[in-house]
Amino acid sequence: METPTNRPVPAAHAPKSKPDAWPMRLALGAGGIAAVSALTAAIVMPPQTVTNTQVTQQTVQQPLSTPVPASTIQVVQPVKYVQLLPGQTPPPGAQVISPADPTPRTVVVNVPAPAAKQPAAQPPAAQKPVYIKTTQSGTVVP
Amino acid sequence: MTVAAAVGNTTPQRTPEPEPIVPASFNATAMGGRFVIHLDVEWSGRQPVRGAGRHDGRAAADNGADAAADARRDAHVVIDRVHRWAERLTRHTETSDLSVLNSDPRSVIPVRPTLAAALLAAMVAADASEGFADVTLLDARLAAEEGREHTGASRISEWQILRRHRGSGIVRRPPGLRFDLGGVGKGWIADRALDLLSDWPSAVVDADGDLAVRTAAGRAWEVGVADPRSPDTHLTVLRLAAPAGGLPVRWGVATSGVSIHRWPSDGAAAEPARHHLIDPRTGRPAVTDVVQATVVAESALRAEALAKSAVIAGSVDGFALLERSRVRGAVLLTAKGDVLALPVTLPLLDR
């Protein structure tokens, strides 16, 4: 009896070699640590002190000159005017208003009446007709 | 108030100016006031107005009779349109779109395109005037007219309008909030009417004293600023010119004041004046040192809103507001009798 020959047995699939996971794990871990670090820094970063060099166009943020403790959370409010302390100089471009100056006013001019424009020595010229007139609306109440 | 200079000392040398336009004028009555269209019939570079039924491509009027006939036809087309707008925007008839809106008890109301556009213009006017041009003061105004005490100021922040398809809109407002378009409506109509006359390079639409003006290059309109103290005289004359060789220039000129539209008081000397300009901060007729304000701006709507604001705010705050708004000109008559102007007005003053 013939023994069965050693027929070639299909070889079992060799396990596929997987890529090494460690480099990716290291990369993801490092990225996560960086993200958490950035978020933490943004959350717990103390409010910055605004110096007078940051004043631009009359708009700054409080506080101005006193350092703020790192543990203090302050509400940041825009202010329009800053009083310079002795020795301080305004930043370039800032508008400086002296406390002694009067309140700024709008400049206007006097409008002479049309009749006053004729020289008195000359006979009055015939007035040019004006066909269009801007008026208040409504009718005159007696 | 600082007076900087006399007018005559600051006159720059100017090129020869064109003669003022002698217009063909067409009168009507709309929104309780007079309505006039002035057209420059001497100008030949025009096309017929849309809707006039004549689009035969004739570029210019061959003679004066043709120009006058075209002007009459085009003006009547626009006046018909103005009547239709006014019928929808007036508060003096119960059937107008505005009256229907005011009497509707709902808080969300659909409105037709004309009223939607005018209400949007009211929001533009309120924004341009920093809140002084306020269309929510109808109850305060009626109280002033009837001599009643009124409490409550502006409600301009309580309403809004949303545009829908084809120009219609939806108004959201607290029930009972009523609108008075008044001068805003007239300014809006004047601007839209001038749009319809776009084929006339020089034209003026006069909506009861508030003007929408277009000046062709090399032409000039002269506009008298009425003196409320004496009829048929002018505080000054504004010259609205466009430089030759350029594009047509568009203007808005409006006058507002407290000396004409007012109601007789009960005789008490201490009683404040009862007039139609309501201060939105108080809900009462404005206490002001400005008798009349005339403003020149880019549109009649904007000019009307700012002129009203200058009167309500008073001379100091009013001039400051006008300067911030970068108007093209402003002339104020104060209670002392002074006639003051922003320096930007000087090039417009007729000399």
Side-chain angles (χ1 to χ4, degrees), chain B residues 126-180:
Chain B
D127 187 49
S129 63
E130 301 183 5
F132 280 106
D134 188 338
V135 295
T136 67
L137 299 171
L138 176 58
D139 292 330
R141 178 188 164 133
L142 292 177
E145 188 171 349
E146 297 163 5
R148 291 185 283 109
E149 185 66 19
H150 177 76
T151 57
S154 172
R155 302 180 68 183
I156 199 163
S157 62
E158 299 179 26
W159 73 282
Q160 59 178 298
I161 179 165
L162 308 172
R163 289 304 286 271
R164 294 199 305 178
H165 60 282
R166 296 191 177 187
S168 61
I170 294 178
V171 173
R172 296 177 187 271
R173 56 99 203 262
L177 175 57
R178 303 194 296 169
F179 300 94
D180 177 18

Side-chain angles (χ1 to χ4, degrees), chain A residues 105-114 117 128-141, chain B residues 2 4 7 34 208-209 221-222 224 226 234-235 255 257 259-260 262 292 320 323 339-341 343 350:
Chain A
R105 300 285 187 189
T106 303
V107 176
V108 299
V109 296
N110 281 314
V111 177
K117 292 189 291 186
K128 291 183 298 183
V130 177
Y131 301 97
I132 302 170
K133 187 186 285 189
T134 177
T135 63
Q136 299 178 41
S137 62
T139 54
V140 179
V141 176
Chain B
T2 305
V7 172
R34 66 183 163 75
D208 204 15
W221 291 106
E222 284 194 343
H234 300 133
L235 292 177
T255 297
S259 60
I260 301 292
R262 56 195 298 136
Q292 175 176 291
E323 197 171 45
V339 183
L340 305 173
D350 186 39

Side-chain angles (χ1 to χ4, degrees), chain B residues 327-345:
Chain B
V327 297
R328 295 180 182 173
V331 178
L332 267 61
L333 171 65
T334 69
K336 292 180 181 175
D338 296 329
V339 183
L340 305 173
L342 284 177
V344 71
T345 319

Side-chain angles (χ1 to χ4, degrees), chain B residues 108 145 166 207 251 277 333 349:
Chain B
V108 179
E145 188 171 349
R166 296 191 177 187
W251 316 77
L277 293 185
L333 171 65
L349 298 182

Side-chain angles (χ1 to χ4, degrees), chain B residues 212-284:
Chain B
V213 181
R214 181 172 50 249
T215 312
R219 307 290 283 169
W221 291 106
E222 284 194 343
V223 176
V225 178
D227 188 341
R229 300 165 298 187
S230 58
D232 302 325
T233 60
H234 300 133
L235 292 177
T236 187
V237 177
L238 302 170
R239 184 180 180 83
L240 308 181
L247 295 172
V249 179
R250 189 160 175 157
W251 316 77
V253 185
T255 297
S256 189
V258 297
S259 60
I260 301 292
H261 204 152
R262 56 195 298 136
W263 304 286
S265 63
D266 296 335
E271 184 184 3
R274 289 171 47 211
H275 56 77
H276 74 302
L277 293 185
I278 305 299
D279 190 335
R281 298 166 296 190
T282 63
R284 296 185 175 87

Side-chain angles (χ1 to χ4, degrees), chain B residues 49-140:
Chain B
V49 67
R50 288 187 299 273
R54 186 178 64 77
H55 291 275
D56 56 5
R58 279 190 295 167
D62 297 322
N63 54 56
D66 278 354
D70 291 348
R72 186 179 304 108
R73 177 172 45 236
D74 292 351
H76 286 158
V77 169
V78 174
I79 286 173
D80 287 344
R81 190 70 173 271
V82 166
H83 279 305
R84 291 202 294 274
W85 284 330
E87 286 170 1
R88 294 171 185 170
L89 301 181
T90 181
R91 67 176 174 86
H92 298 292
T93 62
E94 293 181 356
T95 56
S96 72
D97 286 12
L98 182 65
S99 295
V100 170
L101 170 65
N102 282 341
S103 60
D104 197 314
R106 295 175 294 172
S107 59
V108 179
I109 308 106
V111 293
R112 295 200 292 182
T114 299
L115 182 55
L119 287 171
L120 277 172
M123 284 203 159
V124 171
D127 187 49
S129 63
E130 301 183 5
F132 280 106
D134 188 338
V135 295
T136 67
L137 299 171
L138 176 58
D139 292 330

